[in-house]
Every structure is written in C-alpha cells, then in structure tokens.
Amino acid sequence: MSEDAAHPLFTAYRPNRRTLLQAGSLALLLAGKQQIAFGASIMAVRVWPAEDYSRVTLESDVPLVAKQTLIQSPPRLAVDIEGLQLNSALKELVAKVRPDDPNIAAIRVGQNSPNVVRLVIDLKQDAVPQVFSLKPVASYQHRLVFDLYPSKPVDPLEALIQERLRDASSHPDLPPGLSPSPSAPAQDPLGDLIAKHSQPNAAPPTPAAPATSTATAPTPAAPASKTPGSSMTASPAPARKTDRIIIVALDPGHGGEDPGAVGPKGTYEKDVVLKIAKLLRDRINKSTVNGSPMRAYMTRDGDFFVPLGVRVQKARRVQADLFISIHADAFTRPSAAGASVYALSHKGASSTAARWLADKENQADLVGGLNVRSQDKGVQEMLLDMSTTAQINDSLKLGTALLTQIGDFARLHKPRVEQAGFAVLKAPDIPSVLIETAFISNPDEEQKLRSPTYQVKLADAMMDGIRQYFIKNPPLARSRTV
C-alpha cells in the first residue's frame, strides 16, 4: 500500500456501473452536439428570386444553428451560422444572385470567427424575413431557408394591370383594350382601369373583395363637359366598376425547391408545366367568350415555390372564375401513360390511383419547404375542405370539357374526370381542376412534353375546353371594384 493510500484523509474512488453508464451517455450527448455545432458541411446553396419573395437555401448534412439580425438602413439581413468553415460552396452564393432579383441586391459571406460564418444579404427594399429549418425529405438533406418577403406585398390585381400595360406598350398604335376613339366602345373593360392607372399620381388599385354570386352592372358615368363660357377643364370621370372580365387562374404545379416529377432524361415537371401554362396564358389573354374579354392570372410565372394554400388564396383574391392546376404525372412503372383530369371529392377518391396521386401532390409543401409557423389563419383554412357541392359539379363540367378536347389528339389515362382530395382544388367558390398532361416518367410521353409542338397542342386543347365550358355555362354577372 502506498503512503498516500495509507493516509487517513485519502479515500479511493471506485466508480460503480451506473456512474460509468451515465458518464458514457454524457460523452455521447456532447459528441452529438459537437457534430451539430462544429461538424456541418454545406452540400449545396440555392437562390430563388420572384416578385412574391426571394428564397435563399443552404443544404447541409446536419442541422444548422443560425442567429439573424435585420438591419433597416440600408436594408440587409445579417446571419451568423454556427459550426461552419467558409468553403467554396458557400462562396458560390455570391455569384448566384441575379441582377433582376426584385428583393436581393447582393450576398456577402465571410468567416466571422473560427467556427461562425457570417452571411449578409443586401436588400433592394424593406423586407420581412422568415428564417426556418427543414428536416430531410425526398432528395434533400437538412435545409436552412431564408425567405425574404417585401414589406409591401405584390397585389395580384396590380400584377394583372402591369401585365396588361406591358401588352399595351408592345402595340403602341392600338393598345389592347383601349378604344381607338372616345366615341367607340371599349374592347376590354380592363382598359378603363389601365387608363386610370396610367394617369399621373393615380392611386393604386384597391384589392378585390371576395366574389359575390350576382351583381348588377353599374351605370356608366355621363361624360364630363365644360360649362358654356367656363374656362375650367373637365375633371376625369370617377373610377367605376369593371363588369364581367373573365379571369382564369392558371397554376403551374411545383416550382423552386420542389421540382415535381423528374423524367428519365432529367426533365423537370415544374419546367414543362410552366411552359404550357404560359402558352395557355397567351391564348386566354387574346380571347373573348360571349363578348366578355378574358384574362389569365398565374399563381407563379417563374421558378419559385408557392405553398398549396397560397395558390388557392391567390386565385380567390383576383376573384377568378376558373382555377386550372397543370401537372405532369409520374409512376413507378415507366409503362404508365395518358393524360388525366381531376376534380375535388367530398366522399373520398374515385379510384386507388386518384387517392395515391392526391396524396403525392399534397406533399408538395413538404418538399418545397413551407414555414408552417408563418401561415396565417386564412391560408391554413385553404387547406381545409371548404368546397361546396355546386363548386364540385361545375368542376366536373369543366374537367369533362377539357378532357374531351385533350382526348382528340392525346392518349387518356382514364376516359372520365376522376376525383380525390387535392388540397390545391379546395376553393369554395371557384370551379377547379387539376390536369395531368402526361406521364413524365414514361420515356415516350416525356419526349412529347419536351416538344414545343406538343406543348402548343396541349395549350390549344385547354383553351378550347375553357371556351366550350363557358359557352355552355356562362359566368355569373360579377362586378370587380378596382
């Protein structure tokens, strides 16, 4: 026995089994935290610009911990990300910012301290940032997402006006919707709105109120005139309601972080359906039905993600008369083929395949990356089944008209409109359908979807189906306050 051990104040420490197990668990816990805090590797970085909002995504092998500070003047978002070393993937962010990004001016990255990378996002306008994390899903690992919403959101009716103004500027001799002379009737009631909007110091339009079933067309104001002998100039006529502009909401599926289905040759569903939607938009904007001009409104016109509930909300804000969601199907077997049209169902899916597809499409928010905590009550309600029997019946009529036209040249997967609980079709007051244009997982149909000629055929068929629906089912009278 040693001299120290023989000392009466010395007591030998002999840990028991429980103490050893606790110490081992603590060591493993600390090691796990060390991996999260200091072992992260950036796998990819992405920037998605859009008028609605701009998104920055950092994808990593483990969750990232970030602290953000919004600075008002000049507007910028500073983010400190723990456990990172500045690498080439992070540096790529600087070059990924596009000059036409409406929200982000530039991104700067730097090693703020040995284990902290600072990310500074310079903004073009005041923004409301949302920073959140997403767990691994589909082909993605952990994602840290920065959504930058403009403080003054883009109004969908304003977007329609600006689009119409751009169309008018391309035809200076006779802008669409504007009459060639004061005495001639307007070709497009939206022209009155555009003329008012073009006046100096014109006030921005008021967002539309929810749709009403019927309304009496307002009596046009009498033209202002000068009093004899008066030198005063006549004041412009007061703003009036524009009556019976038929608005069709087009909803290209997926987008941004969510590519949708991917074909054997690497064709992204989100890209194909956006091209088809733009072709259909051009046809709608040049069309009239029963003397009423038509306008298309797109839930997305670029490569960015839109949550399912927001897609429905956008269509309701512009008081759309129809809602058409455009997709390209995929299945585990490449032999699956044919186009399909779907409406909502109150009583469950009309087939096992319809239920499977609805479940798959309803997962878009998980893949695209939705900050669930940021959803307001109105958007959450869009995901509830608020549809009416009348809406579903009208949707079935619209779907049948579309399916008939598409079936004239394309193979159909099912000869009738199918039904299932698609979240994106749950607008209570808008006939809504989802079109699966073809199976992008089928090599032959993928090749067709890549063909501009076939895309034109699809757009023409959809336009004919929309026109046939309105001929048989004229839209209710409706006034839109602008």
Side-chain angles (χ1 to χ4, degrees):
M1 181 179 295
S2 67
E3 182 178 350
D4 288 338
H7 196 282
L9 298 179
F10 179 84
T11 302
Y13 175 67
R14 296 182 177 87
N16 57 30
R17 176 181 175 84
R18 182 176 181 180
T19 304
L20 288 172
L21 289 174
Q22 289 176 338
S25 299
L26 179 60
L28 289 174
L29 180 61
L30 291 174
K33 288 187 176 181
Q34 184 76 2
Q35 181 188 22
I36 293 177
F38 302 111
S41 296
I42 297 297
M43 316 302 295
V45 295
R46 295 177 288 274
V47 180
W48 305 101
E51 291 289 343
D52 291 17
Y53 72 104
S54 293
R55 168 172 288 191
V56 178
T57 304
L58 306 183
E59 187 177 356
S60 59
D61 56 347
V62 296
L64 296 175
V65 178
K67 297 178 181 178
Q68 66 273 1
T69 303
L70 182 64
I71 304 166
Q72 299 295 336
S73 184
R76 60 194 185 278
L77 179 68
V79 184
D80 286 341
I81 307 172
E82 300 177 7
L84 280 185
Q85 298 292 328
L86 189 60
N87 60 10
S88 56
L90 279 170
K91 292 178 181 178
E92 288 180 7
L93 269 176
V94 177
K96 286 185 178 289
V97 178
R98 288 171 23 183
D100 60 348
D101 190 313
N103 301 296
I104 300 176
I107 296 179
R108 295 171 282 148
V109 293
Q111 194 75 47
N112 191 45
S113 65
N115 287 305
V116 176
V117 167
R118 173 161 291 179
L119 183 72
V120 178
I121 304 175
D122 295 319
L123 303 172
K124 291 182 177 179
Q125 57 180 319
D126 292 337
V128 179
Q130 291 183 11
V131 182
F132 56 98
S133 298
L134 297 170
K135 295 180 179 179
V137 63
S139 61
Y140 293 119
Q141 299 193 45
H142 296 274
R143 285 176 289 172
L144 181 63
V145 179
F146 308 90
D147 284 348
L148 301 160
Y149 291 85
S151 297
K152 297 180 180 179
V154 176
D155 183 86
L157 282 176
E158 177 76 6
L160 274 178
I161 297 168
Q162 294 298 337
E163 178 188 322
R164 190 65 170 164
L165 286 171
R166 287 193 296 269
D167 291 347
S169 65
S170 63
H171 300 85
D173 295 334
L174 181 59
L178 299 182
S179 55
S181 66
S183 59
Q187 298 174 8
D188 183 348
L190 197 56
D192 295 339
L193 171 60
I194 295 170
K196 175 178 178 292
H197 184 80
S198 301
Q199 293 172 0
N201 303 320
T206 304
T212 56
S213 57
T214 59
T216 304
T219 303
S225 60
K226 292 184 181 181
T227 303
S230 170
S231 59
M232 296 182 63
T233 305
S235 59
R240 67 175 180 85
K241 293 181 179 180
T242 59
D243 190 55
R244 224 48 217 108
I245 303 166
I246 299 175
I247 295 180
V248 180
L250 301 180
D251 176 53
H254 309 280
E257 289 285 287
D258 176 19
V262 183
K265 291 185 178 180
T267 308
Y268 284 172
E269 177 184 3
K270 66 175 182 177
D271 296 332
V272 168
V273 299
L274 181 60
K275 291 178 181 178
I276 296 170
K278 287 182 175 179
L279 290 171
L280 180 54
R281 175 193 62 187
D282 295 342
R283 282 152 179 74
I284 291 172
N285 288 348
K286 296 176 182 177
S287 299
T288 60
V289 174
N290 299 327
S292 297
M294 303 181 70
R295 295 300 299 170
Y297 173 73
M298 296 182 65
T299 60
R300 72 174 180 97
D301 57 2
D303 189 10
F304 60 96
F305 169 71
V306 183
L308 298 174
V310 175
R311 294 170 186 262
V312 180
Q313 186 186 51
K314 283 185 166 188
R316 297 191 74 203
R317 285 193 66 190
V318 298
Q319 302 179 50
D321 296 287
L322 298 179
F323 179 92
I324 298 176
S325 191
I326 304 174
H327 293 254
D329 208 349
F331 196 62
T332 53
R333 294 197 308 270
S335 58
S340 306
V341 178
Y342 295 85
L344 193 64
S345 171
H346 264 323
K347 303 177 181 179
S350 57
S351 69
T352 302
R355 182 184 302 108
W356 177 85
L357 179 63
D359 290 342
K360 182 170 69 74
E361 295 293 358
N362 290 346
Q363 294 175 4
D365 283 352
L366 297 176
V367 180
L370 173 66
N371 183 8
V372 178
R373 292 172 297 178
S374 72
Q375 282 188 291
D376 59 39
K377 185 176 180 181
V379 174
Q380 291 177 5
E381 287 178 350
M382 291 301 100
L383 300 179
L384 300 177
D385 192 353
M386 304 190 309
S387 59
T388 64
T389 300
Q391 185 259 18
I392 292 178
N393 288 339
D394 286 341
S395 299
L396 290 170
K397 294 176 184 177
L398 171 62
T400 299
L402 291 165
L403 200 64
T404 300
Q405 296 299 323
I406 295 173
D408 282 346
F409 69 93
R411 176 178 177 178
L412 298 179
H413 186 63
K414 289 291 179 67
R416 54 176 168 66
V417 179
E418 294 210 78
Q419 294 178 260
F422 292 89
V424 79
L425 300 182
K426 295 183 178 181
D429 47 4
I430 307 174
S432 305
V433 296
L434 184 146
I435 301 175
E436 295 285 358
T437 53
F439 276 83
I440 201 171
S441 53
N442 181 302
D444 293 336
E445 295 204 337
E446 178 193 23
Q447 188 61 36
K448 289 181 179 179
L449 289 173
R450 293 165 62 99
S451 165
T453 301
Y454 196 78
Q455 293 170 7
V456 167
K457 283 186 176 182
L458 284 169
D460 286 340
M462 292 180 199
M463 184 68 246
D464 290 340
I466 293 169
R467 187 178 291 108
Q468 289 303 314
Y469 169 80
F470 277 127
I471 289 175
K472 295 181 179 179
N473 305 275
L476 297 174
R478 176 184 296 170
S479 295
R480 293 182 171 87
T481 303
V482 292

